[in-house]
Amino acid sequence: MATIGIFDSGSGGLSVLKEMLKVLPGERYIYYSDNANCPYGEKTAEFICERAESICSMLIEKGAEIIVVACNTATAAAIASLRKRFAIPFVGMEPAVKPAALGTRSGVIGVLATDGTLKASKYLNTKDRFSGGVRIEEHVGRGFVELVESLELDGKRARGVVEASLLPLLEAGADVIVLGCTHYPFLLPLMESIAKERGYEVRFIDPAPAVSRHLVEVAAERGISSADPNPGVILLSSGPKESLERLYRSIL
Ligand code: DGL
């Protein structure tokens, strides 16, 4: 593999880049944060498709040979049209409904994601195929993306915002919760502490490690050769870069 493009509506995709760097440390990554247009969660699918196409054209011009859509919302809205329009391989996010359904003991799983992801046919199909008789409780992580973009990962206000979306899932009996938005893993320590304090035993599933393993397989299948002569990470964004750079330093 030589150059890998990766994009998200903001800094959330860094939670995926973190896992990619573990399995493929010697590559050249170009990360694009579309933070001038963040959040994507409540934008139309047409808008997200247009942004995704123009970001991918730019990443390909800069040499990307494979692109990871490190955003559940953009995967749901745009990956099919990206695959039609561009000849390079794309790897997208999949809400981890299947492993959650296999792992639950209570028979209830929770899914935290954006409104766009939860309403998309891609998610609805995954749910139909893999939920296997378990009950799925869903909640939009309202305000989570804004917390991560402003690096507010703890404190009283962040706790209140996270509790409002997490507690309904815990109260409904979910013992496995899928993180269906790439921003949410940055709030995992806070979510774990809220659950523990209230006496809930719950496991959170972040699909990023599985997506990174899939990236390795896709690259190998397509014969994209490994190890770039200029490894490293280039960070680009459509808006201010400071919080992106700070969050990036925290994943290293
Ligand atoms: N990080 C994104 C996702 O995985 C997008 C969140 C947003 O911009 O609303 O869905």
Side-chain angles (χ1 to χ4, degrees), residues 10-11 33-37 149 236-246:
S11 304
S33 155
D34 193 14
N35 55 355
N37 294 299
E149 289 298 312
L236 303 172
S237 60
S238 53
K241 224 158 119 180
E242 199 202 326
S243 71
L244 175 70
E245 282 169 347
R246 279 179 57 193

Side-chain angles (χ1 to χ4, degrees), residues 8-9 12 38-41 70-73 114 117 145 180-183:
D8 178 39
S9 63
C38 185
Y40 277 178
C71 175
N72 291 263
T73 314
T114 66
T117 298
V145 169
C181 167
T182 55
H183 280 77

Side-chain angles (χ1 to χ4, degrees), residues 161-205:
V161 169
V162 171
E163 278 177 356
S165 295
L166 178 60
L167 290 180
L169 299 181
L170 296 173
E171 283 158 7
D175 63 348
V176 184
I177 293 179
V178 174
L179 301 180
C181 167
T182 55
H183 280 77
Y184 299 175
F186 288 107
L187 294 166
L188 184 57
L190 182 54
M191 288 192 250
E192 284 175 337
S193 117
I194 291 168
K196 197 169 163 209
E197 251 165 41
R198 310 238 172 184
Y200 289 106
E201 270 192 37
V202 62
R203 191 162 62 87
F204 293 90
I205 301 188

Side-chain angles (χ1 to χ4, degrees), residues 61-203:
E61 249 170 53
K62 291 186 183 300
E65 290 160 77
I66 184 164
I67 291 179
V68 176
V69 184
C71 175
N72 291 263
T73 314
T75 300
I79 202 159
S81 69
L82 293 174
R83 286 189 171 128
K84 266 190 217 138
R85 161 128 189 229
F86 301 104
I88 65 163
F90 286 87
V91 173
M93 302 303 298
E94 286 291 338
V97 172
K98 188 179 176 189
L102 292 172
T104 177
R105 280 180 296 167
S106 67
V108 183
I109 66 172
V111 177
L112 278 173
T114 66
D115 200 46
T117 298
L118 294 176
K119 286 190 181 140
S121 57
K122 190 164 174 32
Y123 168 70
L124 297 173
N125 291 340
T126 306
K127 199 165 99 168
D128 279 352
R129 280 180 65 201
F130 297 121
S131 57
V134 305
R135 200 169 94 226
I136 303 188
E137 292 288 331
E138 292 157 357
H139 213 287
V140 173
R142 212 161 295 285
F144 288 24
V145 169
E146 290 80 355
L147 289 177
V148 174
E149 289 298 312
S150 59
L151 298 173
E152 196 180 336
L153 306 182
D154 204 348
K156 199 162 166 241
R157 207 186 72 90
R159 184 165 282 260
V161 169
V162 171
E163 278 177 356
S165 295
L166 178 60
L167 290 180
L169 299 181
L170 296 173
E171 283 158 7
D175 63 348
V176 184
I177 293 179
V178 174
L179 301 180
C181 167
T182 55
H183 280 77
Y184 299 175
F186 288 107
L187 294 166
L188 184 57
L190 182 54
M191 288 192 250
E192 284 175 337
S193 117
I194 291 168
K196 197 169 163 209
E197 251 165 41
R198 310 238 172 184
Y200 289 106
E201 270 192 37
V202 62
R203 191 162 62 87

Side-chain angles (χ1 to χ4, degrees), residues 204-224:
F204 293 90
I205 301 188
D206 173 7
V211 168
S212 303
R213 289 193 296 274
H214 183 53
L215 168 68
V216 175
E217 285 164 15
V218 172
E221 265 166 30
R222 299 293 190 104
I224 297 173

